[in-house]
Amino acid sequence: MTTPEVSHGRGGAGNITPDNTKYVDGEIVRQGEEGSHGDGAFSTGRGGAANIADADKPAAARTDADLVPEAATRTSTDNESFHVGRGGAANVHLSAQDQAAAHKAVADGKQHVKVVDAPPSGAAPNQSLADKLKHKIFGRFKK
């Protein structure tokens, strides 16, 4: 059997590739009796006072439990670098070890830090795009 082709991303032929990853639904379910247990208020919906039942009963210790199956778990990323989001350096989360290596590279002069938000020379800091465009267009008439 061939692996199905799936889309990874927002579009474009470069994002359609064969994928043999086993996808699972996580199988996370709540187990237990539905409805009132006689042990205090509980929610019957997504939110709002109308979805709270047994509000007049005193609360008791919870007896229900969430069971998370193995298929829904993943390994921890606490001690490793990982990437989230759509792209860009702001979505890279470095581990403590990689962060230390990056700081050392900057301190040793092997890597340069680029200041992204520096205003162009002569421009006021925190100047909006509209103001920059206005000064560019009307600045020609002042010469």
Side-chain angles (χ1 to χ4, degrees), residues 80-138:
E80 58 186 64
S81 297
F82 60 95
H83 190 277
V84 298
R86 291 176 51 195
N91 292 322
V92 175
H93 297 271
L94 296 176
S95 66
Q97 182 180 4
D98 289 342
Q99 240 177 2
H103 287 297
K104 185 175 181 338
V106 170
D108 293 346
K110 295 178 183 174
Q111 185 176 349
H112 299 285
V113 177
K114 180 180 178 185
V115 178
V116 178
D117 294 326
S121 60
N126 300 327
Q127 190 177 30
S128 71
L129 180 61
D131 285 333
K132 290 176 188 175
L133 186 58
K134 179 177 70 173
H135 290 300
K136 186 171 187 98
I137 292 171
F138 295 116

Side-chain angles (χ1 to χ4, degrees), residues 2-143:
T2 62
T3 58
E5 289 190 348
V6 296
S7 175
H8 295 281
R10 296 179 64 196
N15 289 326
I16 298 176
T17 58
D19 188 2
N20 58 2
T21 304
K22 178 186 172 198
Y23 289 96
V24 295
D25 64 359
E27 303 170 2
I28 299 175
V29 295
R30 288 205 107 163
Q31 293 183 343
E33 216 176 293
E34 290 185 18
S36 177
H37 299 164
D39 58 357
F42 67 96
S43 174
T44 61
R46 293 180 62 189
N51 290 322
I52 303 298
D54 290 348
D56 56 337
K57 295 189 176 152
R62 288 184 59 156
T63 58
D64 59 342
D66 293 330
L67 303 174
V68 181
E70 187 67 31
T73 60
R74 64 177 175 82
T75 58
S76 173
T77 57
D78 286 347
N79 297 321
E80 58 186 64
S81 297
F82 60 95
H83 190 277
V84 298
R86 291 176 51 195
N91 292 322
V92 175
H93 297 271
L94 296 176
S95 66
Q97 182 180 4
D98 289 342
Q99 240 177 2
H103 287 297
K104 185 175 181 338
V106 170
D108 293 346
K110 295 178 183 174
Q111 185 176 349
H112 299 285
V113 177
K114 180 180 178 185
V115 178
V116 178
D117 294 326
S121 60
N126 300 327
Q127 190 177 30
S128 71
L129 180 61
D131 285 333
K132 290 176 188 175
L133 186 58
K134 179 177 70 173
H135 290 300
K136 186 171 187 98
I137 292 171
F138 295 116
R140 294 180 187 253
F141 298 115
K142 292 184 180 179
K143 292 181 181 177

